[in-house]
Amino acid sequence: MSQKSSYEELEQRVKDLEKEVFKHKQTEKVLRESEEKYLSLVETTNDWVWEVDQNGVYTYVSPKIKDLLGYEAKQVIGKTPFDLMPSDEAERVGGLFRDKITSCEPFEGLENTNLHKDGQRIVLETSGVPIFDKAGNLTGFRGIDRDITERKREEEALRQSERLFRLIFQVSPDSITINGPNEEYIDANPGFINSTGYIREEVLGVTSEDLNLWVDAGSLEVVRKTLIEKGIINNLEVRFRMKDGSITNSFFSARLFEMNGEYYTLSVSRDISELKEAQKEQSRLETQLQQVQKMESIGTLAGGIAHNFNNLLMSIQGKMSVMLYTLNENDALYDQLKNVDQLIQSGSKVTNQLLGFARKSKLDVKPEDLNKLIKNSSKMFAATKKEIKVHRKYQKNVWAVEIDKNKIDQMLLNLFVNASQAMPKGGDFYIETENVMLDESYVKPYLIKPGKFVKISVTDTGTGMDETTRQKIFDPFFTTKDVGKGTGLGLASAYGIIKNHKGIINVYSEMGVGSTFNIYLPVTDKKVIDDIKPQEKIIKGSETILFIDDEQRIIDAGNEMLEILGYKVLLAASGKKAIEIYRKKNKIIDLVILDMILPEMNGSEIYDRLKDINSNVKVLLSSGFTQNGQATEILDKGCNGFIQKPFTLEQLSHKISEVLSKK
């Protein structure tokens, strides 16, 4: 080979070598740029990139580890992943990781818990691929860790929420349902199944309309419209029809929610039927209490009117008694005065009815057999009302009640008369007695104690009453009769008599059907005793009496009556004057007749002052009220007797004799 040829060949090789070197440099540049890009990506990603050798020792750790676990990368190089885990977790994950190394298989989504440098637990999701050398030998693994702690917390919170919802769904007594896009039931809790009476198989896949649940179609339309417009509905009061046809009142709430691009409905219904009944009962109790309070107020007014009217009648009665006593029965004026006297007695009965309503009447009570009392009263009623058929039903061995026989007899008479007036063309009249027990819930509105009662039911088949009339029948002076045909005091008096006996009186009535009055009287353990009726006669005397009253016309009448009866009389128009007289002349005063209601110093205060002067003073208390309230208080202090205005000459003489005879 020539020298020139060898040179050319060498020159060509040099050029080829230069080309190879240039090409190699270009490759190195591309590789370096690629590595730089890789490192930039590794170091800026939010995940932690790592490499371990075939023994699981970290050979590379990206800087992101500081954000995840708080360590610098250089602090982790030379450690294994298990050095960063709690011992229990290292034991669990270690076996899995070693299996991957042994099998040289890639892995992903391996959840494991690592310890942050400050001690808190961080949940990571690890993925890795094996690294091989050119000979195909495993040299390690390269992988990435992602912080899923927050995601796991959210998943756990969601699981807890789902468990809680499922628990509520299962144990709630309320009806809870989930309905699909076409309103079909997807799920229904036991509360719904138990309340409606359906079984799950009858409910799932059908709609509330299919089950005919909605009593009012308008309610379903309101629900649909509200959910479309607002997506939620709260406590709509609706009525549902159960499988057995019964109706319940409910509070209905619902909310739309989206799932897989479609809208579903979660509904909750709470049965408020018992609440509605309780509200009705509460309203009934409040109405009864208001009625009781109203009657109390009216009673106070009626008592005041009756007291003042009795004082007026007293002055007339006193004069009339004196005139009748002094006249001969053959005198031309005697019959006229006797008629006036009877009118006074009638007026007194009216005021006594008012006082009975006002419960200002002192009861003369003793144990009585109501069956016996009612038999006598109803027998007299039946004899006078032949057009009315009387039906009687008496409780065998009826319990004894402690009552004022005359007052209860008056009450019954008022009810009998009321019934007969409701049946002007005749009808059926039922009267019944029954032993009953009344509990706290029943008697509470009437402000009395629960326990044993005897119930009297009086029923007529008359015209009946509307609700407006029924609510007013116990009001004094209320009457449906024409002017001049009734005072409107009969039922008011009956009400007062029963209330004064710590009992209950109420009425049920229906127009065109009739009325039923129910009376409840408390039972006593005392035995029934027979009546002994006292006989009254005029009894004269000669003792000295101090007569105290603030009304001059009553003083005048009282003075005349006492003088006719033979007594010496001292008069006082005020408490102050009475005390002055008694202090000076108590040695000769045998009896004091004391008005209970006086200005400046009332009867109770005067009585106390008299007792201070003479502890043995004899006092007859007089009042336009009956023997009740303040009069009872004075009598309990030791006052010797009571007489109600207006009183006749005969009544006064008898009462004075009774008090003077007391030791």
Side-chain angles (χ1 to χ4, degrees), residues 71 79 185 238 244 281 308 463 596:
Y71 295 102
K79 295 181 181 294
Y185 288 110
V238 299
D244 62 5
E281 179 64 12
N308 291 334
T463 55
M596 187 175 72

Side-chain angles (χ1 to χ4, degrees), residues 214-403:
W214 301 87
V215 175
D216 307 303
S219 297
L220 178 57
E221 294 307 314
V222 170
V223 170
R224 286 170 173 165
K225 182 178 179 181
T226 305
L227 287 176
I228 291 173
E229 294 176 351
K230 299 180 179 179
I232 187 171
I233 188 167
N234 287 317
N235 290 336
L236 176 68
E237 190 170 334
V238 299
R239 295 189 299 162
F240 287 123
R241 183 181 293 103
M242 304 297 99
K243 184 178 180 179
D244 62 5
S246 61
I247 305 298
T248 64
N249 293 280
S250 298
F251 277 148
F252 178 81
S253 300
R255 177 186 286 272
L256 286 180
F257 65 94
E258 187 178 1
M259 187 169 63
N260 299 325
E262 293 189 294
Y263 285 97
Y264 294 74
T265 306
L266 174 66
S267 304
V268 180
S269 299
R270 173 164 294 177
D271 189 343
I272 59 168
S273 299
E274 290 187 3
L275 175 63
K276 297 286 285 185
E277 288 301 316
Q279 288 174 340
K280 288 181 182 178
E281 179 64 12
Q282 179 68 19
S283 177
R284 183 186 71 82
L285 293 178
E286 289 176 355
T287 300
Q288 287 182 342
L289 183 58
Q290 289 170 0
Q291 178 71 6
V292 169
Q293 291 171 337
K294 182 191 79 170
M295 301 304 274
E296 290 285 345
S297 299
I298 297 175
T300 301
L301 176 62
I305 293 172
H307 169 263
N308 291 334
F309 193 58
N310 273 343
N311 276 339
L312 177 61
L313 289 177
M314 180 65 244
S315 61
I316 303 172
Q317 178 71 75
K319 294 288 186 181
M320 191 58 57
S321 293
V322 170
M323 293 171 69
L324 285 172
Y325 184 78
T326 57
L327 286 176
N328 187 287
E329 291 186 10
N330 297 321
D331 193 291
L333 292 175
Y334 186 86
D335 289 339
Q336 296 183 39
L337 292 176
K338 196 66 177 176
N339 288 335
V340 174
D341 185 66
Q342 290 175 353
L343 290 173
I344 295 171
Q345 298 302 318
S346 297
S348 179
K349 289 180 180 179
V350 171
T351 58
N352 280 335
Q353 285 185 315
L354 272 176
L355 289 169
F357 168 78
R359 285 180 282 160
K360 300 294 185 182
S361 177
K362 177 65 176 179
L363 301 178
D364 182 15
V365 299
K366 67 175 185 176
E368 295 283 357
D369 181 338
L370 277 177
N371 284 351
K372 183 178 179 181
L373 178 63
I374 293 171
K375 283 176 184 177
N376 292 333
S377 296
S378 62
K379 184 177 180 181
M380 292 175 60
F381 173 70
T384 58
K385 297 291 180 180
K386 300 292 187 180
E387 71 278 12
I388 297 175
K389 187 175 182 180
V390 179
H391 307 268
R392 304 173 182 87
K393 183 180 179 182
Y394 300 117
Q395 169 79 54
K396 187 178 181 181
N397 299 321
V398 69
W399 292 329
V401 291
E402 198 167 15
I403 59 173

Side-chain angles (χ1 to χ4, degrees), residues 287 465-472 509 511:
T287 300
M465 296 175 278
D466 58 27
E467 183 60 20
T468 301
T469 301
R470 191 192 68 79
Q471 291 182 1
K472 295 180 179 180
S509 187
M511 290 293 291

Side-chain angles (χ1 to χ4, degrees), residues 506-521:
N506 54 44
V507 59
Y508 170 79
S509 187
E510 190 174 338
M511 290 293 291
V513 177
S515 303
T516 296
F517 286 83
N518 293 314
I519 298 99
Y520 300 87
L521 292 169

Side-chain angles (χ1 to χ4, degrees), residues 319-569:
K319 294 288 186 181
M320 191 58 57
S321 293
V322 170
M323 293 171 69
L324 285 172
Y325 184 78
T326 57
L327 286 176
N328 187 287
E329 291 186 10
N330 297 321
D331 193 291
L333 292 175
Y334 186 86
D335 289 339
Q336 296 183 39
L337 292 176
K338 196 66 177 176
N339 288 335
V340 174
D341 185 66
Q342 290 175 353
L343 290 173
I344 295 171
Q345 298 302 318
S346 297
S348 179
K349 289 180 180 179
V350 171
T351 58
N352 280 335
Q353 285 185 315
L354 272 176
L355 289 169
F357 168 78
R359 285 180 282 160
K360 300 294 185 182
S361 177
K362 177 65 176 179
L363 301 178
D364 182 15
V365 299
K366 67 175 185 176
E368 295 283 357
D369 181 338
L370 277 177
N371 284 351
K372 183 178 179 181
L373 178 63
I374 293 171
K375 283 176 184 177
N376 292 333
S377 296
S378 62
K379 184 177 180 181
M380 292 175 60
F381 173 70
T384 58
K385 297 291 180 180
K386 300 292 187 180
E387 71 278 12
I388 297 175
K389 187 175 182 180
V390 179
H391 307 268
R392 304 173 182 87
K393 183 180 179 182
Y394 300 117
Q395 169 79 54
K396 187 178 181 181
N397 299 321
V398 69
W399 292 329
V401 291
E402 198 167 15
I403 59 173
D404 184 322
K405 181 178 179 180
N406 292 331
K407 296 293 185 183
I408 295 300
D409 202 38
Q410 177 189 334
M411 180 275 300
L412 290 171
L413 178 61
N414 290 339
L415 294 182
F416 295 165
V417 169
N418 184 75
S420 67
Q421 291 172 342
M423 300 183 290
K425 296 181 180 179
D428 289 290
F429 180 77
Y430 301 84
I431 185 163
E432 180 180 352
T433 58
E434 181 184 3
N435 295 333
V436 298
M437 292 287 294
L438 299 183
D439 59 21
E440 178 69 29
S441 63
Y442 190 90
V443 303
K444 186 176 181 180
Y446 302 100
L447 307 178
I448 62 174
K449 295 179 180 180
K452 294 181 177 180
F453 289 77
V454 175
K455 177 183 178 183
I456 307 170
S457 295
V458 177
T459 302
D460 65 68
T461 56
T463 55
M465 296 175 278
D466 58 27
E467 183 60 20
T468 301
T469 301
R470 191 192 68 79
Q471 291 182 1
K472 295 180 179 180
I473 58 170
F474 294 127
D475 293 0
F477 306 117
F478 174 78
T479 179
T480 58
K481 304 178 186 69
D482 294 337
V483 176
K485 294 186 178 180
T487 63
L489 285 173
L491 293 180
S493 175
Y495 174 89
I497 290 169
I498 297 304
K499 295 300 288 185
N500 211 13
H501 280 81
K502 308 297 183 187
I504 298 171
I505 180 170
N506 54 44
V507 59
Y508 170 79
S509 187
E510 190 174 338
M511 290 293 291
V513 177
S515 303
T516 296
F517 286 83
N518 293 314
I519 298 99
Y520 300 87
L521 292 169
V523 169
T524 181
D525 293 330
K526 298 177 182 178
K527 293 183 178 180
V528 176
I529 55 178
D530 294 328
D531 283 334
I532 299 176
K533 189 173 181 180
Q535 293 183 350
E536 288 191 356
K537 60 181 180 179
I538 291 179
I539 303 173
K540 291 191 174 184
S542 59
E543 290 86 352
T544 299
I545 297 176
L546 173 59
F547 189 85
I548 308 170
D549 201 294
D550 65 313
E551 294 192 31
Q552 190 59 48
R553 59 178 179 268
I554 295 178
I555 290 177
D556 293 342
N559 184 41
E560 288 188 59
M561 294 171 77
L562 291 171
E563 287 183 344
I564 285 177
L565 292 173
Y567 296 106
K568 304 177 190 68
V569 186

